């Protein structure tokens, strides 16, 4: 089992409001480069979606539950079919998006017990909790040529240290797709 974090990110490390749904002044930065840059399986999830589980915070799940069920392309079919665990203290109804359920256990304990690969999309508070526990094995980032100067960063100033190894990097439209894995202990 691996915990894989996938994020749209700016050059200065901002991950907040990439689509503009948060209504921030600088929101929508990932979609300014056209749909080709963000469409399809840009994070190379492939079979991981078929065999793994998605872990989402409530806000990300609510956004995705309005977006993905209405799509019918092959990648959307995988997104709609994958089991989804939602981290929330307030959400009770997950019927808007198939194969979703509210996580009814402690987040860290649930991830430690999970036998499938866990894909965390967006959901910065969930990501940071897993980071603080040293549970993130891999980051798959789509980095956009944008500097915002303000917003929530993936790696906060007071966050835990991590030794990572870059195992892949390639151009993806206007962005760059990179994969970083936890480096072997020295």
């Amino acid at each position: 089992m691996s915990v894989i974090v996938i994020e749209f990110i700016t050059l200065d490390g901002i991950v907040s409001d990439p689509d503009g749904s948060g209504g921030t002044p600088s929101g929508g930065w990932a979609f300014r480069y056209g749909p080709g840059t963000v469409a399809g399986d840009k994070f190379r999830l492939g079979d991981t979606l078929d065999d793994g589980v998605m872990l989402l915070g409530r806000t990300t799940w609510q956004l995705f539950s309005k977006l993905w069920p209405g799509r019918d392309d092959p990648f959307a079919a995988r997104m709609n079919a994958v089991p989804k665990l939602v981290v929330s203290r307030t959400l009770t109804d997950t019927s808007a998006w198939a194969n979703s359920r509210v996580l009814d256990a402690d987040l860290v304990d649930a991830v430690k017990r999970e036998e499938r690969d866990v894909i965390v999309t967006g959901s910065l508070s969930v990501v940071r909790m897993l980071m603080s526990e040293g549970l993130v094995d891999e980051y798959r980032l789509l980095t956009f040529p944008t500097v915002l100067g303000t917003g929530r960063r993936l790696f906060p100033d007071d966050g835990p240290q991590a030794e990572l190894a870059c195992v892949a990097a390639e151009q993806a439209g206007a962005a760059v797709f990179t994969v970083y894995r936890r480096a072997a202990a020295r």
Side-chain angles (χ1 to χ4, degrees):
M1 184 279 292
S2 292
V3 175
I4 303 165
V5 168
I6 62 175
E7 297 281 351
F8 292 145
I9 190 167
T10 65
L11 281 175
D12 57 342
I14 305 297
V15 294
S16 52
D17 205 11
D19 66 342
S21 65
T24 63
S26 57
W29 48 268
F31 293 79
R32 292 183 187 136
Y33 298 94
T37 301
V38 297
D41 190 5
K42 292 297 189 222
F43 293 99
R44 311 293 187 264
L45 294 172
D47 293 340
T48 307
L49 281 177
D50 298 334
D51 302 327
V53 60
M54 287 190 75
L55 179 64
L56 305 130
R58 178 191 49 80
T59 302
T60 302
W61 182 88
Q62 287 176 319
L63 177 67
F64 282 14
S65 72
K66 294 175 184 157
L67 174 73
W68 289 106
R71 295 185 176 184
D72 62 0
D73 60 271
F75 182 68
R78 281 179 150 167
M79 287 289 287
N80 291 323
V82 66
K84 293 166 269 300
L85 300 175
V86 186
V87 180
S88 176
R89 292 186 188 109
T90 58
L91 186 69
T92 56
D93 181 9
T94 58
S95 62
W97 196 12
N99 304 308
S100 297
R101 71 176 176 86
V102 173
L103 183 65
D104 58 3
D106 176 77
L107 169 62
V108 171
D109 290 340
V111 169
K112 286 180 178 178
R113 287 192 316 268
E114 184 59 56
E115 295 179 8
R116 301 167 287 188
D117 286 337
V118 176
I119 305 158
V120 188
T121 305
S123 308
L124 189 56
S125 60
V126 173
V127 169
R128 287 192 175 163
M129 174 69 74
L130 299 176
M131 289 167 68
S132 72
E133 296 293 324
L135 294 175
V136 177
D137 299 296
E138 184 173 290
Y139 295 90
R140 296 186 187 184
L141 307 176
L142 197 57
T143 305
F144 290 81
T146 299
V147 175
L148 296 177
T150 186
R152 295 180 68 200
R153 297 181 191 283
L154 176 58
F155 301 103
D157 290 341
D158 61 349
Q161 284 189 297
E163 296 293 328
L164 304 171
C166 182
V167 298
E170 64 186 71
Q171 188 77 31
V176 175
F177 171 69
T178 52
V179 178
Y180 295 93
R181 288 196 186 124
R182 188 179 354 199
R186 295 179 190 205

